[in-house]
Amino acid sequence: QVQLVESGGGLVQPGGSLRLSCAASGSIFSIKVLGWYRQAPGKQRELVAAISSGGSADYADSVKGRFTISRGSAQNTVYLQGNSLKPEDTAVYFCNAAGIRTSGGFYGSLWGQGTQVTVSS
């Protein structure tokens, strides 16, 4: 069984920083793409950042220069470092993995449960 678990969310002041983590558990051989999405109340879920197995990263314009996505070399972990946080960054942040190859088969896409990030005004 493969599971994505996010952590690191919480309350932060505007201008502050937060680091989110997502760990994929299970007998995983490889994950093609790991990404972070977010969904604020009344808004659609949007891509924040994504990173490929080769290390190529892409960011939403709203977070460029403030957020950094990175992959851990072990345990299929992805991080999202957010700096200079703004109230509009407030959302539930979801980890997504695509192209997961495991000992039991192939997973096309898998979502984590989400972690709340609140940037107070």
Side-chain angles (χ1 to χ4, degrees), residues 1-2 25-30 100-107:
Q1 302 287 354
V2 177
S25 63
S27 184
I28 300 172
F29 295 152
S30 62
I100 309 165
R101 191 176 301 279
T102 76
S103 62
F106 183 82
Y107 293 77

Side-chain angles (χ1 to χ4, degrees), residues 41-101:
K43 297 183 179 180
Q44 292 188 319
R45 187 174 299 185
E46 63 176 351
L47 176 68
V48 178
I51 186 167
S52 71
S53 59
S56 298
D58 197 12
Y59 300 90
D61 288 341
S62 60
V63 304
K64 285 182 178 178
R66 301 188 298 116
F67 284 32
T68 302
I69 189 171
S70 60
R71 294 181 70 147
S73 59
Q75 299 180 10
N76 296 295
T77 303
V78 64
Y79 304 95
L80 185 69
Q81 176 70 41
N83 300 324
S84 301
L85 293 172
K86 305 175 180 180
E88 50 262 44
D89 294 320
T90 296
V92 177
Y93 284 70
F94 297 89
C95 178
N96 176 265
I100 309 165
R101 191 176 301 279

Side-chain angles (χ1 to χ4, degrees), residues 1 5 12 17 20 28-29 34 36 49-50 54 57 69 91 93 96 101 108 111 119:
Q1 302 287 354
V5 179
V12 63
S17 298
L20 305 182
I28 300 172
F29 295 152
L34 286 164
W36 287 95
I69 189 171
Y93 284 70
N96 176 265
R101 191 176 301 279
W111 291 93
V119 184

